[in-house]
Amino acid sequence: MLNEKTIAIIQSTVPVLEKHGLDITKRFYTLLFSKTPELLNLFNHANQSQGRQQTALANAVYAAAKHIDKLETILPVVKQIAHKHRSLGVRAEHYPIVGQNLLQAIQDVLGDAASEEILQAWGEAYGVIAGVFIEVEAGMYQDTEQKEGGWADFRAFRVERKEKESDVITSFYLVPQDGEAIASYLPGQYVSVKVEIPGEEHTHIRQYSLSDVPGKPYYRISVKREEASASKIAGKVSMYLHEQVKPGDILRLSAPAGDFTLNLEDTRPAVFISGGVGLTPLVSMIETLASTNSGREAIFIHAAENGAIHALKQQIEELAGRSAQISAHWCYREPTTEDRERNAFHKEGYIDLAWLKEIIPVKDAAFYFCGPVPFMKAVYGYLKEWGIPAADIHYEFFGPAGDLDAE
């Protein structure tokens, strides 16, 4: 444990981290990859280039410093990150490397302000924080490997079939190459997919939510083709999966991971709100509710550009058609002529609080949402404005965690 003097020194650096945290983490990753380029095989290069990974780490370091005297308060965040680390293959031996480069980054950015006393305190604090991560992740590795059908690291899966769900989203049905059992999972969890793309120096790993109900002899992931635009670069893995991977090919998968999961013990209504490909974990959740025949009310709300982009729509509408307890509502930003002729949507434009209040009968419910960050910020703001308790608001970022309260 840290002594009071070390805790005081760490807490004194909180204002500095708030101001310079992003500069420190940018410097950290530059150092890390220059000294240990093999770690580029574990990181999402797109998130690096867009600054999302640096921002997420800066937020984590800031939270650790702020709560250094009560690290148990950040344990939920530790577990969330640990799930990601386990699915990527992060191991205990990586932590000393990270610590050395983080301290060097602090010194490089802060210069003379990073006194020997501050660096020593942060070295001690990092050792404690790293120890928490290592312990939590070791338990996750053990539980995953010992679980029926479970495994450590990455396992070979064969693409049994590809199924186009919309103009931009395709589902991949994956079965184990060895023909053995596969681990079950909690609705909402994801797998990491490791690929070696021809011409690429490093392997690439991406997380994709499992988009089907657990308990089947395959895993299904539904992947959006991320094409290049004026504001973003093309998704290397998604483009590779869409354009080059075909039935019979082999992909390597981690065992399922993630803490964004459906609480099956809650009997209150469940409200699922998704934007774009963010519907994938929520489809698994509502499919699971429907399969349990619990009688629990479920409301599925999805926003898409139009019907051509809207994936898995028929699957949800069939659930709603079979059960009076399930309802589905679609919001299209720019519906096509065909959408209008078929009355294929319920609201034009964007989801707003007034519409949510119209279609959600009660506030006493569990709310789950996922989608692009601007979409999530909007939904989060609506739920807070409506007075939904924080304990009833559940969400997942695709990629490094962000801050929905941030401007």
Short mmCIF file of all heavy atoms in Angstrom, two decimals, residues 315-356:
data_model
loop_
_atom_site.label_atom_id
_atom_site.label_comp_id
_atom_site.label_asym_id
_atom_site.label_seq_id
_atom_site.Cartn_x
_atom_site.Cartn_y
_atom_site.Cartn_z
N GLN A 315 -35.01 -9.27 -38.27
CA GLN A 315 -34.86 -10.11 -37.09
C GLN A 315 -35.59 -9.51 -35.89
O GLN A 315 -36.28 -10.22 -35.15
CB GLN A 315 -33.36 -10.27 -36.77
CG GLN A 315 -33.06 -11.18 -35.61
CD GLN A 315 -31.56 -11.40 -35.42
OE1 GLN A 315 -30.78 -11.21 -36.36
NE2 GLN A 315 -31.16 -11.78 -34.23
N ILE A 316 -35.44 -8.22 -35.68
CA ILE A 316 -36.10 -7.56 -34.55
C ILE A 316 -37.60 -7.47 -34.77
O ILE A 316 -38.40 -7.69 -33.83
CB ILE A 316 -35.50 -6.16 -34.31
CG1 ILE A 316 -34.00 -6.26 -34.05
CG2 ILE A 316 -36.19 -5.48 -33.14
CD1 ILE A 316 -33.63 -7.13 -32.88
N GLU A 317 -38.01 -7.19 -36.00
CA GLU A 317 -39.44 -7.09 -36.27
C GLU A 317 -40.13 -8.44 -36.09
O GLU A 317 -41.29 -8.49 -35.64
CB GLU A 317 -39.67 -6.54 -37.67
CG GLU A 317 -39.32 -5.06 -37.79
CD GLU A 317 -39.61 -4.48 -39.17
OE1 GLU A 317 -39.65 -5.26 -40.14
OE2 GLU A 317 -39.77 -3.26 -39.25
N GLU A 318 -39.44 -9.52 -36.41
CA GLU A 318 -40.02 -10.84 -36.18
C GLU A 318 -40.18 -11.11 -34.68
O GLU A 318 -41.18 -11.71 -34.26
CB GLU A 318 -39.14 -11.91 -36.82
CG GLU A 318 -39.22 -11.92 -38.34
CD GLU A 318 -38.28 -12.94 -38.97
OE1 GLU A 318 -37.49 -13.56 -38.21
OE2 GLU A 318 -38.31 -13.10 -40.21
N LEU A 319 -39.22 -10.68 -33.87
CA LEU A 319 -39.36 -10.83 -32.42
C LEU A 319 -40.57 -10.06 -31.93
O LEU A 319 -41.36 -10.57 -31.12
CB LEU A 319 -38.10 -10.31 -31.71
CG LEU A 319 -36.81 -11.10 -31.84
CD1 LEU A 319 -35.70 -10.41 -31.06
CD2 LEU A 319 -36.98 -12.53 -31.34
N ALA A 320 -40.71 -8.83 -32.40
CA ALA A 320 -41.85 -8.00 -31.98
C ALA A 320 -43.17 -8.60 -32.44
O ALA A 320 -44.19 -8.51 -31.73
CB ALA A 320 -41.68 -6.58 -32.52
N GLY A 321 -43.15 -9.22 -33.62
CA GLY A 321 -44.38 -9.83 -34.12
C GLY A 321 -44.81 -11.06 -33.34
O GLY A 321 -46.00 -11.39 -33.30
N ARG A 322 -43.84 -11.72 -32.70
CA ARG A 322 -44.16 -12.93 -31.94
C ARG A 322 -44.53 -12.65 -30.48
O ARG A 322 -45.08 -13.52 -29.81
CB ARG A 322 -42.98 -13.90 -31.97
CG ARG A 322 -42.66 -14.48 -33.32
CD ARG A 322 -41.78 -15.71 -33.21
NE ARG A 322 -40.52 -15.45 -32.54
CZ ARG A 322 -39.38 -15.16 -33.18
NH1 ARG A 322 -39.38 -15.08 -34.50
NH2 ARG A 322 -38.27 -14.95 -32.52
N SER A 323 -44.21 -11.47 -30.00
CA SER A 323 -44.42 -11.19 -28.58
C SER A 323 -45.00 -9.80 -28.38
O SER A 323 -44.46 -8.81 -28.88
CB SER A 323 -43.10 -11.30 -27.81
OG SER A 323 -43.25 -10.87 -26.47
N ALA A 324 -46.10 -9.74 -27.63
CA ALA A 324 -46.71 -8.46 -27.31
C ALA A 324 -45.86 -7.65 -26.35
O ALA A 324 -46.07 -6.45 -26.16
CB ALA A 324 -48.10 -8.67 -26.71
N GLN A 325 -44.87 -8.30 -25.73
CA GLN A 325 -44.01 -7.63 -24.76
C GLN A 325 -42.83 -6.91 -25.43
O GLN A 325 -42.08 -6.20 -24.77
CB GLN A 325 -43.45 -8.65 -23.75
CG GLN A 325 -44.52 -9.40 -22.96
CD GLN A 325 -45.42 -8.46 -22.19
OE1 GLN A 325 -46.60 -8.37 -22.46
NE2 GLN A 325 -44.83 -7.75 -21.24
N ILE A 326 -42.67 -7.11 -26.73
CA ILE A 326 -41.54 -6.50 -27.44
C ILE A 326 -42.07 -5.52 -28.48
O ILE A 326 -42.97 -5.84 -29.25
CB ILE A 326 -40.69 -7.58 -28.12
CG1 ILE A 326 -40.05 -8.49 -27.07
CG2 ILE A 326 -39.60 -6.94 -28.98
CD1 ILE A 326 -39.27 -9.65 -27.65
N SER A 327 -41.49 -4.33 -28.49
CA SER A 327 -41.86 -3.33 -29.51
C SER A 327 -40.59 -2.80 -30.16
O SER A 327 -39.52 -2.78 -29.56
CB SER A 327 -42.66 -2.19 -28.90
OG SER A 327 -41.91 -1.51 -27.90
N ALA A 328 -40.72 -2.38 -31.42
CA ALA A 328 -39.57 -1.88 -32.17
C ALA A 328 -39.94 -0.55 -32.82
O ALA A 328 -41.06 -0.36 -33.32
CB ALA A 328 -39.17 -2.89 -33.25
N HIS A 329 -38.99 0.38 -32.81
CA HIS A 329 -39.21 1.73 -33.32
C HIS A 329 -37.98 2.18 -34.10
O HIS A 329 -36.86 2.08 -33.60
CB HIS A 329 -39.48 2.71 -32.16
CG HIS A 329 -40.55 2.23 -31.22
ND1 HIS A 329 -41.87 2.57 -31.37
CD2 HIS A 329 -40.47 1.43 -30.13
CE1 HIS A 329 -42.59 2.00 -30.40
NE2 HIS A 329 -41.75 1.30 -29.63
N TRP A 330 -38.21 2.70 -35.32
CA TRP A 330 -37.10 3.07 -36.19
C TRP A 330 -37.11 4.56 -36.49
O TRP A 330 -38.16 5.14 -36.79
CB TRP A 330 -37.16 2.31 -37.52
CG TRP A 330 -37.48 0.84 -37.40
CD1 TRP A 330 -38.43 0.16 -38.11
CD2 TRP A 330 -36.85 -0.14 -36.56
NE1 TRP A 330 -38.43 -1.17 -37.77
CE2 TRP A 330 -37.47 -1.38 -36.80
CE3 TRP A 330 -35.84 -0.07 -35.62
CZ2 TRP A 330 -37.10 -2.55 -36.15
CZ3 TRP A 330 -35.47 -1.24 -34.94
CH2 TRP A 330 -36.08 -2.45 -35.22
N CYS A 331 -35.94 5.17 -36.41
CA CYS A 331 -35.76 6.58 -36.73
C CYS A 331 -34.76 6.71 -37.87
O CYS A 331 -33.61 6.28 -37.73
CB CYS A 331 -35.27 7.35 -35.50
SG CYS A 331 -34.97 9.10 -35.77
N TYR A 332 -35.19 7.27 -39.01
CA TYR A 332 -34.32 7.40 -40.17
C TYR A 332 -34.00 8.88 -40.41
O TYR A 332 -34.91 9.71 -40.51
CB TYR A 332 -34.97 6.82 -41.42
CG TYR A 332 -35.08 5.31 -41.44
CD1 TYR A 332 -35.82 4.66 -42.42
CD2 TYR A 332 -34.43 4.52 -40.47
CE1 TYR A 332 -35.92 3.27 -42.45
CE2 TYR A 332 -34.52 3.14 -40.49
CZ TYR A 332 -35.27 2.51 -41.48
OH TYR A 332 -35.36 1.14 -41.50
N ARG A 333 -32.70 9.17 -40.52
CA ARG A 333 -32.28 10.55 -40.72
C ARG A 333 -32.66 11.05 -42.12
O ARG A 333 -33.16 12.16 -42.28
CB ARG A 333 -30.78 10.67 -40.52
CG ARG A 333 -30.25 12.09 -40.62
CD ARG A 333 -28.81 12.18 -40.17
NE ARG A 333 -27.92 11.40 -41.03
CZ ARG A 333 -27.36 11.85 -42.14
NH1 ARG A 333 -27.61 13.10 -42.53
NH2 ARG A 333 -26.56 11.09 -42.85
N GLU A 334 -32.43 10.21 -43.15
CA GLU A 334 -32.77 10.57 -44.52
C GLU A 334 -33.44 9.38 -45.20
O GLU A 334 -32.82 8.66 -45.98
CB GLU A 334 -31.52 11.00 -45.29
CG GLU A 334 -30.87 12.27 -44.76
CD GLU A 334 -29.67 12.69 -45.58
OE1 GLU A 334 -29.30 11.95 -46.52
OE2 GLU A 334 -29.10 13.75 -45.29
N PRO A 335 -34.71 9.13 -44.91
CA PRO A 335 -35.39 7.97 -45.49
C PRO A 335 -35.46 8.06 -47.01
O PRO A 335 -35.56 9.15 -47.58
CB PRO A 335 -36.80 8.03 -44.87
CG PRO A 335 -36.95 9.44 -44.39
CD PRO A 335 -35.59 9.91 -44.03
N THR A 336 -35.37 6.90 -47.64
CA THR A 336 -35.44 6.85 -49.10
C THR A 336 -36.90 6.88 -49.54
O THR A 336 -37.83 6.76 -48.73
CB THR A 336 -34.79 5.56 -49.61
OG1 THR A 336 -35.55 4.43 -49.12
CG2 THR A 336 -33.35 5.44 -49.13
N THR A 337 -37.09 7.03 -50.84
CA THR A 337 -38.45 6.98 -51.39
C THR A 337 -39.11 5.65 -51.07
O THR A 337 -40.29 5.59 -50.71
CB THR A 337 -38.40 7.19 -52.92
OG1 THR A 337 -37.81 8.46 -53.19
CG2 THR A 337 -39.80 7.13 -53.51
N GLU A 338 -38.32 4.57 -51.15
CA GLU A 338 -38.86 3.25 -50.84
C GLU A 338 -39.25 3.16 -49.37
O GLU A 338 -40.29 2.57 -49.02
CB GLU A 338 -37.83 2.17 -51.16
CG GLU A 338 -38.34 0.75 -50.92
CD GLU A 338 -37.30 -0.31 -51.24
OE1 GLU A 338 -36.21 0.05 -51.70
OE2 GLU A 338 -37.59 -1.51 -51.01
N ASP A 339 -38.45 3.73 -48.49
CA ASP A 339 -38.80 3.75 -47.06
C ASP A 339 -40.15 4.42 -46.84
O ASP A 339 -40.99 3.94 -46.08
CB ASP A 339 -37.73 4.50 -46.25
CG ASP A 339 -36.40 3.78 -46.21
OD1 ASP A 339 -36.39 2.55 -46.29
OD2 ASP A 339 -35.37 4.47 -46.07
N ARG A 340 -40.35 5.53 -47.53
CA ARG A 340 -41.61 6.26 -47.37
C ARG A 340 -42.80 5.47 -47.93
O ARG A 340 -43.88 5.41 -47.31
CB ARG A 340 -41.52 7.63 -48.07
CG ARG A 340 -40.46 8.56 -47.47
CD ARG A 340 -40.48 9.91 -48.18
NE ARG A 340 -39.36 10.74 -47.79
CZ ARG A 340 -39.27 11.42 -46.66
NH1 ARG A 340 -40.28 11.36 -45.80
NH2 ARG A 340 -38.21 12.16 -46.37
N GLU A 341 -42.60 4.86 -49.10
CA GLU A 341 -43.69 4.10 -49.71
C GLU A 341 -44.09 2.90 -48.85
O GLU A 341 -45.27 2.55 -48.80
CB GLU A 341 -43.26 3.63 -51.10
CG GLU A 341 -43.12 4.77 -52.10
CD GLU A 341 -42.56 4.30 -53.43
OE1 GLU A 341 -42.08 3.14 -53.49
OE2 GLU A 341 -42.60 5.08 -54.41
N ARG A 342 -43.11 2.31 -48.17
CA ARG A 342 -43.38 1.12 -47.35
C ARG A 342 -43.72 1.47 -45.91
O ARG A 342 -43.96 0.57 -45.11
CB ARG A 342 -42.16 0.19 -47.38
CG ARG A 342 -41.85 -0.39 -48.74
CD ARG A 342 -40.56 -1.19 -48.75
NE ARG A 342 -40.57 -2.24 -47.72
CZ ARG A 342 -39.69 -2.32 -46.73
NH1 ARG A 342 -38.72 -1.43 -46.61
NH2 ARG A 342 -39.77 -3.31 -45.86
N ASN A 343 -43.71 2.76 -45.58
CA ASN A 343 -43.90 3.17 -44.18
C ASN A 343 -42.96 2.38 -43.27
O ASN A 343 -43.37 1.81 -42.25
CB ASN A 343 -45.36 2.96 -43.74
CG ASN A 343 -46.32 3.89 -44.45
OD1 ASN A 343 -46.04 5.08 -44.60
ND2 ASN A 343 -47.45 3.35 -44.90
N ALA A 344 -41.69 2.37 -43.66
CA ALA A 344 -40.72 1.48 -43.02
C ALA A 344 -40.08 2.09 -41.78
O ALA A 344 -39.22 1.45 -41.17
CB ALA A 344 -39.63 1.12 -44.03
N PHE A 345 -40.48 3.29 -41.41
CA PHE A 345 -39.87 3.92 -40.24
C PHE A 345 -40.94 4.67 -39.45
O PHE A 345 -42.05 4.89 -39.92
CB PHE A 345 -38.74 4.86 -40.66
CG PHE A 345 -39.20 6.01 -41.53
CD1 PHE A 345 -39.41 7.27 -41.00
CD2 PHE A 345 -39.42 5.82 -42.89
CE1 PHE A 345 -39.84 8.32 -41.80
CE2 PHE A 345 -39.84 6.86 -43.69
CZ PHE A 345 -40.05 8.12 -43.15
N HIS A 346 -40.59 5.08 -38.24
CA HIS A 346 -41.56 5.71 -37.35
C HIS A 346 -41.28 7.19 -37.09
O HIS A 346 -42.17 7.92 -36.68
CB HIS A 346 -41.59 4.96 -36.01
CG HIS A 346 -41.86 3.51 -36.15
ND1 HIS A 346 -40.84 2.58 -36.28
CD2 HIS A 346 -43.02 2.80 -36.22
CE1 HIS A 346 -41.37 1.36 -36.39
NE2 HIS A 346 -42.67 1.47 -36.37
N LYS A 347 -40.03 7.58 -37.28
CA LYS A 347 -39.67 8.98 -37.08
C LYS A 347 -38.59 9.38 -38.09
O LYS A 347 -37.68 8.61 -38.35
CB LYS A 347 -39.15 9.22 -35.66
CG LYS A 347 -38.87 10.69 -35.33
CD LYS A 347 -38.30 10.84 -33.93
CE LYS A 347 -38.22 12.30 -33.51
NZ LYS A 347 -37.56 13.18 -34.45
N GLU A 348 -38.72 10.58 -38.62
CA GLU A 348 -37.71 11.10 -39.53
C GLU A 348 -36.85 12.12 -38.80
O GLU A 348 -37.34 12.90 -37.99
CB GLU A 348 -38.36 11.75 -40.75
CG GLU A 348 -37.37 12.25 -41.78
CD GLU A 348 -38.04 12.72 -43.05
OE1 GLU A 348 -39.26 12.53 -43.20
OE2 GLU A 348 -37.33 13.29 -43.91
N GLY A 349 -35.54 12.10 -39.10
CA GLY A 349 -34.64 13.05 -38.46
C GLY A 349 -33.79 12.36 -37.41
O GLY A 349 -33.13 11.36 -37.70
N TYR A 350 -33.82 12.90 -36.20
CA TYR A 350 -32.98 12.38 -35.13
C TYR A 350 -33.82 12.00 -33.91
O TYR A 350 -34.91 12.56 -33.69
CB TYR A 350 -31.94 13.43 -34.69
CG TYR A 350 -30.95 13.80 -35.76
CD1 TYR A 350 -31.20 14.86 -36.64
CD2 TYR A 350 -29.76 13.08 -35.90
CE1 TYR A 350 -30.28 15.19 -37.63
CE2 TYR A 350 -28.84 13.41 -36.89
CZ TYR A 350 -29.11 14.46 -37.75
OH TYR A 350 -28.21 14.78 -38.73
N ILE A 351 -33.33 11.04 -33.15
CA ILE A 351 -33.96 10.71 -31.88
C ILE A 351 -33.91 11.94 -30.98
O ILE A 351 -32.90 12.63 -30.91
CB ILE A 351 -33.24 9.52 -31.21
CG1 ILE A 351 -33.51 8.23 -31.98
CG2 ILE A 351 -33.64 9.37 -29.76
CD1 ILE A 351 -32.75 7.03 -31.46
N ASP A 352 -35.02 12.22 -30.31
CA ASP A 352 -35.03 13.31 -29.33
C ASP A 352 -35.80 12.86 -28.10
O ASP A 352 -36.45 11.81 -28.08
CB ASP A 352 -35.62 14.59 -29.92
CG ASP A 352 -37.01 14.40 -30.51
OD1 ASP A 352 -37.82 13.67 -29.89
OD2 ASP A 352 -37.30 14.97 -31.57
N LEU A 353 -35.72 13.64 -27.04
CA LEU A 353 -36.32 13.26 -25.77
C LEU A 353 -37.84 13.19 -25.87
O LEU A 353 -38.46 12.28 -25.29
CB LEU A 353 -35.90 14.23 -24.67
CG LEU A 353 -36.46 13.94 -23.27
CD1 LEU A 353 -36.13 12.52 -22.82
CD2 LEU A 353 -35.92 14.96 -22.26
N ALA A 354 -38.44 14.10 -26.60
CA ALA A 354 -39.90 14.10 -26.72
C ALA A 354 -40.39 12.78 -27.30
O ALA A 354 -41.38 12.19 -26.83
CB ALA A 354 -40.36 15.28 -27.57
N TRP A 355 -39.69 12.29 -28.34
CA TRP A 355 -40.09 11.03 -28.96
C TRP A 355 -39.85 9.85 -28.02
O TRP A 355 -40.68 8.94 -27.93
CB TRP A 355 -39.33 10.83 -30.27
CG TRP A 355 -39.80 9.66 -31.08
CD1 TRP A 355 -41.07 9.41 -31.49
CD2 TRP A 355 -39.00 8.59 -31.57
NE1 TRP A 355 -41.11 8.25 -32.23
CE2 TRP A 355 -39.86 7.72 -32.29
CE3 TRP A 355 -37.65 8.28 -31.51
CZ2 TRP A 355 -39.39 6.57 -32.91
CZ3 TRP A 355 -37.18 7.14 -32.14
CH2 TRP A 355 -38.05 6.29 -32.83
N LEU A 356 -38.72 9.88 -27.31
CA LEU A 356 -38.45 8.81 -26.35
C LEU A 356 -39.56 8.72 -25.30
O LEU A 356 -40.01 7.63 -24.94
CB LEU A 356 -37.09 9.02 -25.67
CG LEU A 356 -35.85 8.88 -26.56
CD1 LEU A 356 -34.59 9.17 -25.75
CD2 LEU A 356 -35.76 7.49 -27.17
#
